Amino acid sequence: MTLLNLAMGTGFILILIGLFGALTQRDILRMIVGFTIAATGTNLVLIAVGFLPNRTAPILESTAPMADAIVDPVPQALVLTAIVIGLGVTALMLAFAYKIHAAKGTLDISKLTDLKW
Amino acid sequence: MTKRLIALLLLLGLGTIFADLIRGFTPDPALNMSAQFYAARTVVDTGAANIVTAIIVTFRGLDTLGEVTVLFLTAAIVALVLGGNVSGVKPRNWPVGELLQTGTKLLVPLIVLFGAYVFINGHLTPGGGFQGGAILASAVLLLLLANPARRFGHQLISRVEAVSGLFYVGIGVLGLVLAGGFLDNRILPLGEFGSILSAGAIPLIYALIGLKVGAEFSSIMASLSESEDK
Amino acid sequence: MIELRLVFGAVLAIAMISAAIMAIWPGRSRAIAILAAGAVSLFASIMFLLLAAPDVAMTEAAIGSGLTTFLFFFVLGRVRGRKDD
């Protein structure tokens, strides 16, 4: 098992754990924690896809061409964006959770039965 | 109980798909075509040393503009949902320890300096606008924690954010007029490789992005901390 | 001889998965769940360094482990008073 398989496997397991937490909890704050863990796992998988063994970070040290000594830089640029947007989504979820608590007095989703018929 | 069982079955199905993905994955022996293009043309086209920075700011700069727009929308919606109380908020006055207050006075200038260093040197070392903006936001957070009764200067934050966003798009349009295309960084001279005034307009663009992102994060945190207490 | 990177990566993986399990375990208080999620982000940031991605490691450490935990604790301080679940 190489480092790449280890990182990818860990990322997938984190996605599964986060989704399980988001699906079975009743408290809104714990659901949001589950989503955060799943997002971290997804970013880990994306970086692991771009990793080539025995190569170094994509930062040039001189103008010499280094196309055979660096890892793939494109997934890193994409994951940078994904992390920042993940924070934005978490902030929105938390603002809505706060509003629900202010309106209903509880954070338990089984007690929010306004739309049930 | 059934809810957990159904969730477990669903995740088991997902788990088999993931296992299949891992088993069928073999890393390439060499870089693929687009990565080779970026690795070969970064120094020639942009003069930056950090390839990820060159991709984010120049080669795929339009995506970064979209991301900054999404962050702006997030900050605006959080401020709207939490119903920013401009007046009538009673300031919480729990006793703040003297250690925190003195430590804040010492640390906040250093943190701001470090954040500015990180986003100005984005094209030479690992770092850049998003990291520097997050560091600036943590300095603002420290101020919030040490002085909870102070009315926060929303005016200053929103002005910084608006002005840097305007200049960012202005530099992009200048790229249209003076150089190859929108957000081209050759409007300023490329300079010599490895010095701080190199890579054209990349330090300028990244500094503006860092200020804008830091202002947006600070605005989100100020909205959350000033929402009405029960 | 197993190389050092692999051993370090395995230790980090075990730490990450146990922190994630602790974060969604149903009986604990909410503050511990939030801190465990912050620990998952921190370990992921170190693993990004092992995978030769320093930019991403810095961003994940600052934003994922720092600012997200702050946001959670701000909201947790507002909704305290009900201890259900």
Side-chain angles (χ1 to χ4, degrees), chain B residues 133-193:
Chain B
I135 296 176
L136 281 182
S138 61
V140 166
L141 170 74
L142 201 54
L143 279 177
L144 265 176
L145 279 180
N147 207 346
R150 179 187 14 203
R151 293 292 317 147
F152 214 84
H154 271 287
Q155 293 282 343
L156 179 65
I157 294 182
S158 37
R159 274 203 199 122
V160 162
E161 178 182 352
V163 161
S164 39
L166 193 61
F167 277 169
Y168 180 32
V169 179
I171 288 185
V173 171
L174 228 76
L176 258 181
V177 165
L178 293 178
F182 188 64
L183 279 179
D184 201 346
N185 74 325
R186 281 176 288 209
I187 54 179
L188 293 178
L190 281 184
E192 65 172 90
F193 180 83

Side-chain angles (χ1 to χ4, degrees), chain B residues 102-119:
Chain B
T102 321
T104 304
K105 284 193 199 129
L106 282 177
L107 277 179
V108 164
L110 287 178
I111 295 180
V112 169
L113 188 65
F114 180 56
Y117 166 78
V118 164
F119 65 64

Side-chain angles (χ1 to χ4, degrees), chain A residues 4 8-9 12 16 20 55 58-60 62-63 67 70 72 74 76 80-81 84-85 87-88 92 96 98-99 102, chain B residues 7 11 14 18 22 25 29-31 35 38 43 49 51-52 56 67 70-71 74 77 81-82 126 193 217 228 230:
Chain A
L4 190 115
M8 208 182 282
F12 281 137
L16 290 177
F20 181 71
R55 289 182 184 220
I59 299 186
L60 304 170
S62 60
T63 46
I70 53 173
D72 198 351
V74 177
Q76 298 183 12
L80 215 66
T81 305
V84 175
I85 302 284
L87 174 77
L92 269 180
F96 282 125
Y98 173 72
K99 269 307 195 188
Chain B
L11 291 177
L14 260 184
F18 288 156
I22 294 186
F25 179 76
L31 286 181
Y38 288 136
V43 182
I51 303 183
V52 177
I56 289 183
E67 169 191 359
V70 168
L71 261 186
T74 305
I77 294 180
V81 162
L82 291 180
F193 180 83
F217 286 156
E228 195 174 307
K230 292 199 98 66

Side-chain angles (χ1 to χ4, degrees), chain A residues 76-89, chain B residues 52-53 55-57 60-76 128-131 133-134 161 165 168-169 182-183 206 209-210 212-214 216-217 220, chain C residues 59 63:
Chain A
Q76 298 183 12
L78 300 176
V79 166
L80 215 66
T81 305
I83 294 178
V84 175
I85 302 284
L87 174 77
V89 171
Chain B
V52 177
T53 298
I55 292 180
I56 289 183
V57 176
R60 303 198 178 189
L62 207 53
D63 297 341
T64 308
L65 186 58
E67 169 191 359
V68 166
T69 307
V70 168
L71 261 186
F72 163 69
L73 276 176
T74 305
F130 298 109
Q131 295 90 327
E161 178 182 352
Y168 180 32
V169 179
F182 188 64
L183 279 179
Y206 234 175
I209 291 180
K212 184 166 171 63
V213 164
E216 276 157 3
F217 286 156
I220 290 180
Chain C
T59 309
I63 295 185

Side-chain angles (χ1 to χ4, degrees), chain A residues 10-105:
Chain A
T10 308
F12 281 137
I13 293 181
L14 276 181
I15 295 180
L16 290 177
I17 294 180
L19 277 181
F20 181 71
L23 281 176
T24 59
Q25 296 284 351
R26 274 183 5 210
D27 191 13
I28 291 188
L29 280 186
R30 290 177 201 268
M31 283 167 66
I32 300 179
V33 166
F35 277 126
T36 317
I37 295 179
T40 305
T42 312
N43 297 333
L44 200 53
V45 169
L46 276 175
I47 298 277
V49 164
F51 178 68
L52 277 69
N54 293 329
R55 289 182 184 220
T56 174
I59 299 186
L60 304 170
E61 291 167 10
S62 60
T63 46
M66 280 174 63
D68 52 353
I70 53 173
V71 297
D72 198 351
V74 177
Q76 298 183 12
L78 300 176
V79 166
L80 215 66
T81 305
I83 294 178
V84 175
I85 302 284
L87 174 77
V89 171
T90 304
L92 269 180
M93 286 198 279
L94 284 174
F96 282 125
Y98 173 72
K99 269 307 195 188
I100 286 181
H101 178 85
K104 292 284 184 182

